[in-house]
């Protein structure tokens, strides 16, 4: 997990709901220390993420415009992060559909 939450205020185009939720999720992970959800943590964790995302969206709407844009690009706007997300989603779809695919540690062995 990243140690810093990316600044969302002043982005062009403005921060998306996905970026706001990702920042909220990162915040909740950091303050709770919960990295993997269990049956006991899922509901309160997801409720906190939703609440913090709503508060963040409202705050960003109410604050005045920034004079200068943030100096860092949010992770969800970075090409390398988008590629990792797409690869993970494709891998998960392969599992769901029972398609042959490779794992990094398989030395080129395909799994079903």
């Amino acid at each position: 997990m990243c140690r810093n939450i990316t600044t969302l205020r002043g982005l062009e185009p403005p921060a998306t709901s996905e970026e706001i939720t990702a920042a909220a999720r990162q915040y909740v992970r950091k303050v709770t220390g919960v990295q993997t959800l269990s049956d006991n943590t899922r509901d309160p964790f997801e409720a906190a993420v939703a609440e913090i995302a709503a508060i963040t969206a409202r705050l960003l709407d109410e604050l005045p415009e920034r004079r200068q844009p943030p100096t860092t690009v949010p992770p969800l706007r970075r090409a390398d992060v988008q590629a990792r997300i797409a690869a993970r989603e494709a891998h998960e779809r392969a599992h769901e559909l029972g398609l042959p695919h490779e794992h990094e540690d398989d030395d080129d062995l395909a799994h079903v």
Side-chain angles (χ1 to χ4, degrees), residues 39-61:
D39 290 340
N40 293 332
T41 60
R42 181 171 285 104
D43 289 344
F45 185 93
E46 294 298 343
V49 169
E51 197 169 339
I52 291 168
I55 292 166
T56 301
R58 188 173 62 242
L59 176 62
L60 292 173
D61 285 343

Side-chain angles (χ1 to χ4, degrees), residues 100-112:
H101 63 282
E102 296 179 6
H103 292 134
E104 287 183 26
D105 58 348
D106 285 343
D107 296 326
D108 297 325
L109 295 176
H111 280 284
V112 175

Side-chain angles (χ1 to χ4, degrees), residues 5 12 15 18 21 23 29 40 42 46 51-52 62-63 66-67 70-71 73 83 86-89 94 101 111:
I5 296 174
E12 283 301 326
E18 185 179 31
T21 300
R29 281 186 181 144
N40 293 332
R42 181 171 285 104
E46 294 298 343
E51 197 169 339
I52 291 168
E62 293 174 1
L63 288 172
R66 282 180 62 126
R67 292 187 182 146
T71 57
V73 176
R88 182 176 52 234
E89 289 173 351
H101 63 282
H111 280 284

